[in-house]
Amino acid sequence: MHLTPSSLDLWLGVDARFGSVRFLCAAALRLHMIDKICGTNYPTSICFIVVNEFCERFSYYGMKAVLTLYFVSYLGWDPDLSTAVYHAFSGLCYFTPILGALIADSWLGKFKTIIYLSVVYVIGHVVKSVGAIPTVGNKEMHIALSMLGLILIAFGTGGIKPCVAAFGGDQFDEENVSERQKFFSIFYMSINAGSLLSTVITPILRGECSQSSAHPVLTLHPSCVVVFIAGCGLYKRNPPQGNILLEVCRCIGFAIKNRWKSSKYDPKRKHWLDWAEEKYSKRLIQEIKMVLRVLVLYIPLPMFWALFDQQGSRWTLQARRMNFKQHTGLKITKYVKSVDFYQLWVYRPLRKMVTGMIFAALAFGAATLVEVQVVKTVVEPAPAGNCLLQVFNLADGDISVKTPGNNLFPEPIGYLQDPPKYETLPLEGSSKEVKIQVTFKGSTSECTQMFIEETAYSLFFYSTTAEDTITKDENGSPLLRFFNTQPEAINLTVGQESFHVPGDYSVSPNQTVPRSEYPDVSCISQSEECSDLNLGLLDFGASYTVILTNESDTIVPHKMEDVQANNVHIAWQIPQYVLLTAGEVMFSITGLEFSYSQAPANMKSVLQAGWLLTVAFGNVIVLIVAEGAGLEQWKEFALFAGLLLGVSIIFSFMAYFYTYVDPDQLDKIYQKDSGKEEDDKKQKTDDIQMNNKGKETRM
């Protein structure tokens, strides 16, 4: 491939006069390129399409990789609302393909639709990123810009979805069916390569730069538009086929109306769509039959996507409550999506899809088991009419603690010790003053404390109460506070965080610190010896209270763990990712190719949009469950796994009775019928002419 001087002049000249799009097209037309790649049957144009898809998916998945965390950490939404908005956005991304298919098939064609909606896509990324800049407006402005940006992104990415894969399929000649099938695998691999890199790189950039959205994903997305335009001189472009979706709807409506008005004396018809024959061609009716048979198969499919898309919401929130002290690269499992490994033992497309469903259900079974282990380190909030209570013994000896009506702490508590967990204290109302009996060295005393429902407390003996934070930090950082038994205030520096602890049995507020070992915490006090303190390891997700006491004229720290650290390592998520990835390979690649291969030529984008609608409805299912079910997370995972197993059984029966068709045969049949009609018409014309000549001779 090289550029001649004359073509370079044309390139520059067209750029100056007509703009970048035309100059790129003109340049591509003058490049000395072969139509096929290295003597194969693969068109050169698919290189531009695959690279474009890689860039677009890098941008999309890079943004989605941190979207749930953006909602929770930056906008301050709770996990359920964040999950609901995440899936509402994902659902919108897969509803808009209907709009893209209409525009492509009836107006602009696939090429121009991809170009124009990609521009909308880029604008959406810009608006979304501006909304994530802390200095731009207030929280309401951030929310408004973020939502506007997400809507534009949804229309951009959704609009081009049904066009790109179908446009790639259009590049192949009809005799190159096997190459076209492999193209869909290569195409899907480019999606996963973009997804892999962005979902690994973007969270790293987020951690390095800020806790807001991932601005760097913008850098690659405009380039995908340029790459796609650069190949414009090589593309095979099928002209728009007219508003085929509207025509289909009218034909179906006419058939239903005609069937409804018919009487019992009218001749019976084999199919209800045949009632449209009075107005519409037999070919169109046959094509609609083919599309409807595939769309019926799509009915159970949303349940698969309901599970698959939770990688970016529920599974991300699960990972936040796990121990990730070593980098595990979970998203690398996405690259397990090799193209043809499953074709060795599963042959029919619909069987592959059933197998993919089963793998996804197993993935959620694995997620359920992990979730059961994760929640063991989580302190559940107190129910209404109750509070949570733990005690710290700062007395120089064992103490026994009793509360009226129950025995929360049956065992004596040693000096500088606390019981292993929070106990639930009944209040019988929204608040209550509780008399607590404390026995120390054979002497019993009584203290009264006010407790409020649904709150957690630490009771320090030396009679001090502090309100606790039992919720783990949303980013997995440990929480730390200090309890100062000395008369004077103490200032401490833990890593980059500063703590000021007032004197005389006071407690500092909880603060997050990075997970790390802290052997030399800086300590400053006015009158007492306060050398560097060794706090040891402050681990992921834990909450610590460090009691500062005076021993031999030296400040000594005593670390108590209020809330357990995340002791389930994030590597335990790998099996569920591997299983779901294997399921996606069998389900999604096959579904893409199946949708294209079973669609008539003028309805491929529409059927692709129908396939993508299954993803949209899958996200709607998650949105409903997240907002309405109110289940514990492990029960929710188990519910989804069971539902998908049931759906896979239903789909198996539907697939068993499905008959595969070849849309190309439709062309041959109707071309043959058309030719026969022309021959009959010509024969009739000849017969009439012969008869006329006979009459003239007799006359």
Side-chain angles (χ1 to χ4, degrees):
M1 183 191 307
H2 66 278
L3 195 65
T4 64
S6 60
S7 60
L8 179 59
D9 293 339
L10 176 61
W11 185 339
L12 296 175
V14 174
D15 179 42
R17 293 177 57 193
F18 301 108
S20 59
V21 173
R22 292 191 181 182
F23 104 73
L24 283 169
C25 290
L29 286 168
R30 298 298 301 270
L31 289 173
H32 295 284
M33 301 181 69
I34 56 176
D35 292 334
K36 305 291 183 181
I37 300 175
C38 300
T40 68
N41 288 323
Y42 290 93
T44 306
S45 57
I46 68 169
C47 296
F48 296 91
I49 296 172
V50 169
V51 172
N52 168 71
E53 187 66 13
F54 168 84
C55 297
E56 189 272 327
R57 291 290 87 185
F58 182 97
S59 185
Y60 177 75
Y61 281 108
M63 181 271 298
K64 283 190 70 175
V66 294
L67 189 57
T68 301
L69 298 179
Y70 172 77
F71 292 152
V72 172
S73 303
Y74 191 71
L75 298 182
W77 293 347
D78 64 73
D80 283 343
L81 177 60
S82 300
T83 298
V85 175
Y86 176 91
H87 286 283
F89 165 70
S90 297
L92 183 60
C93 288
Y94 289 93
F95 275 118
T96 50
I98 288 290
L99 177 63
L102 283 172
I103 294 173
D105 283 346
S106 62
W107 181 25
L108 296 177
K110 299 183 186 74
F111 176 76
K112 289 184 179 179
T113 301
I114 294 170
I115 297 295
Y116 296 156
L117 290 181
S118 291
V119 174
V120 175
Y121 198 167
V122 172
I123 294 172
H125 271 302
V126 173
V127 174
K128 168 70 175 61
S129 295
V130 171
I133 300 174
T135 56
V136 176
N138 53 20
K139 184 177 179 180
E140 287 71 23
M141 178 66 74
H142 296 158
I143 293 174
L145 289 176
S146 296
M147 295 304 102
L148 176 61
L150 290 176
I151 290 171
L152 292 174
I153 291 171
F155 276 94
T157 186
I160 67 175
K161 275 182 190 298
C163 303
V164 180
F167 188 62
D170 290 345
Q171 306 307 304
F172 292 86
D173 298 327
E174 295 302 331
E175 60 269 17
N176 299 326
V177 177
S178 62
E179 286 84 0
R180 187 180 67 195
Q181 290 175 339
K182 290 180 181 178
F183 159 75
F184 283 108
S185 294
I186 297 169
F187 180 83
Y188 207 76
M189 237 172 71
S190 73
I191 293 175
N192 292 318
S195 168
L196 165 69
L197 292 177
S198 63
T199 49
V200 171
I201 294 172
T202 304
I204 295 174
L205 294 174
R206 174 181 179 270
E208 292 292 331
C209 301
S210 69
Q211 293 299 309
S212 60
S213 185
H215 311 301
V217 299
L218 271 175
T219 58
L220 198 57
H221 185 70
S223 65
C224 78
V225 184
V226 176
V227 169
F228 185 74
I229 294 173
C232 66
L234 302 170
Y235 298 133
K236 180 196 293 185
R237 304 187 212 174
N238 295 333
Q241 302 291 325
N243 197 334
I244 188 64
L245 182 59
L246 183 59
E247 189 74 4
V248 168
C249 293
R250 286 174 177 169
C251 181
I252 293 174
F254 182 82
I256 295 173
K257 181 180 177 181
N258 210 20
R259 175 68 181 87
W260 181 260
K261 289 182 176 180
S262 66
S263 67
K264 61 181 180 180
Y265 302 106
D266 291 328
K268 302 297 180 183
R269 313 206 180 179
K270 291 183 179 180
H271 193 278
W272 62 270
L273 268 174
D274 293 336
W275 288 94
E277 288 181 347
E278 285 84 349
K279 186 175 180 180
Y280 296 92
S281 67
K282 290 184 178 180
R283 174 171 184 147
L284 177 63
I285 293 171
Q286 186 60 34
E287 288 173 339
I288 296 174
K289 289 178 183 178
M290 294 168 63
V291 170
L292 289 180
R293 290 175 67 248
V294 178
L295 290 178
V296 169
L297 272 181
Y298 286 173
I299 292 174
L301 303 189
M303 187 53 66
F304 174 88
W305 298 113
L307 275 68
F308 178 78
D309 272 359
Q310 290 186 59
Q311 291 179 94
S313 56
R314 292 304 198 195
W315 284 14
T316 298
L317 296 174
Q318 182 188 66
R320 288 193 315 149
R321 294 177 285 121
M322 301 178 73
N323 191 314
F324 42 93
K325 61 186 176 184
Q326 294 178 355
H327 177 68
T328 54
L330 289 179
K331 292 297 181 181
I332 293 178
T333 60
K334 292 179 73 67
Y335 211 64
V336 172
K337 299 173 182 180
S338 56
V339 177
D340 291 320
F341 76 92
Y342 57 88
Q343 295 187 7
L344 298 175
W345 56 281
V346 185
Y347 297 97
R348 303 291 282 176
L350 296 178
R351 291 181 188 175
K352 297 174 191 175
M353 295 173 71
V354 172
T355 308
M357 289 181 173
I358 294 172
F359 271 95
L362 292 175
F364 265 69
T368 302
L369 296 177
V370 170
E371 185 66 21
V372 169
Q373 297 302 315
V374 168
V375 297
K376 291 181 179 179
T377 69
V378 176
V379 178
E380 293 296 331
N386 297 268
C387 71
L388 297 180
L389 180 65
Q390 68 171 352
V391 298
F392 288 108
N393 179 14
L394 304 183
D396 191 13
D398 292 352
I399 63 170
S400 296
V401 180
K402 291 185 178 180
T403 54
N406 52 66
N407 191 11
L408 299 182
F409 308 102
E411 300 296 327
I413 303 170
Y415 173 57
L416 293 176
Q417 297 297 314
D418 69 316
K421 63 184 181 68
Y422 283 89
E423 300 293 343
T424 302
L425 177 64
L427 301 180
E428 302 172 355
S430 60
S431 63
K432 184 179 181 181
E433 282 193 350
V434 178
K435 292 182 179 180
I436 301 172
Q437 290 184 347
V438 183
T439 302
F440 175 63
K441 293 183 178 180
S443 176
T444 300
S445 59
E446 196 173 80
C447 63
T448 302
Q449 295 290 336
M450 174 65 73
F451 296 99
I452 300 174
E453 66 175 346
E454 300 181 7
T455 308
Y457 294 94
S458 286
L459 190 59
F460 295 86
F461 295 96
Y462 188 88
S463 67
T464 299
T465 305
E467 191 171 313
D468 288 1
T469 301
I470 59 172
T471 304
K472 291 175 179 280
D473 176 66
E474 56 198 19
N475 292 313
S477 300
L479 286 167
L480 177 65
R481 66 179 177 177
F482 291 92
F483 184 90
N484 185 10
T485 64
Q486 304 310 297
E488 294 184 350
I490 297 176
N491 295 312
L492 304 105
T493 303
V494 182
Q496 302 295 320
E497 301 297 328
S498 298
F499 291 80
H500 175 75
V501 194
D504 198 18
Y505 292 87
S506 297
V507 185
S508 69
N510 271 299
Q511 292 180 231
T512 58
V513 295
R515 186 259 184 199
S516 183
E517 293 274 355
Y518 292 95
D520 50 359
V521 172
S522 171
C523 175
I524 300 174
S525 177
Q526 290 183 354
S527 61
E528 296 182 77
E529 183 71 23
C530 189
S531 58
D532 290 348
L533 308 180
N534 183 4
L535 300 186
L537 174 65
L538 303 182
D539 210 350
F540 285 114
S543 292
Y544 299 97
T545 297
V546 177
I547 300 173
L548 304 175
T549 63
N550 186 323
E551 298 178 15
S552 301
D553 295 327
T554 302
I555 300 296
V556 178
H558 299 274
K559 184 174 68 175
M560 309 291 181
E561 188 177 61
D562 301 334
V563 178
Q564 292 183 45
N566 301 341
N567 57 18
V568 180
H569 198 279
I570 198 171
W572 284 106
Q573 278 196 327
I574 290 178
Q576 66 200 55
Y577 273 97
V578 170
L579 286 168
L580 193 62
T581 294
E584 188 198 1
V585 170
M586 298 181 186
F587 186 88
S588 195
I589 296 178
T590 308
L592 272 175
E593 195 278 325
F594 175 79
S595 297
Y596 188 91
S597 67
Q598 297 295 292
N602 62 337
M603 297 188 189
K604 291 189 184 297
S605 290
V606 174
L607 198 52
Q608 288 287 318
W611 164 258
L612 295 171
L613 273 179
T614 65
V615 186
F617 285 112
N619 281 277
V620 171
I621 293 172
V622 183
L623 194 156
I624 293 171
V625 173
E627 284 295 299
L631 297 174
E632 293 180 56
Q633 191 57 67
W634 72 269
K635 292 180 181 178
E636 187 179 294
F637 285 160
L639 172 66
F640 276 114
L643 287 174
L644 187 58
L645 279 177
V647 165
S648 67
I649 294 172
I650 295 172
F651 186 71
S652 297
F653 283 104
M654 296 174 69
Y656 179 79
F657 292 103
Y658 181 81
T659 302
Y660 292 87
V661 297
D662 182 3
D664 295 335
Q665 293 298 321
L666 201 63
D667 291 329
K668 296 177 182 178
I669 292 172
Y670 282 99
Q671 283 174 2
K672 183 178 179 181
D673 290 345
S674 177
K676 185 178 179 182
E677 289 176 2
E678 289 293 329
D679 290 342
D680 291 343
K681 186 177 180 181
K682 184 178 180 182
Q683 184 64 44
K684 289 179 181 179
T685 302
D686 292 343
D687 290 343
I688 292 171
Q689 291 176 350
M690 289 294 294
N691 289 334
N692 291 336
K693 287 181 179 179
K695 291 179 181 178
E696 292 174 359
T697 302
R698 288 194 294 272
M699 290 175 67

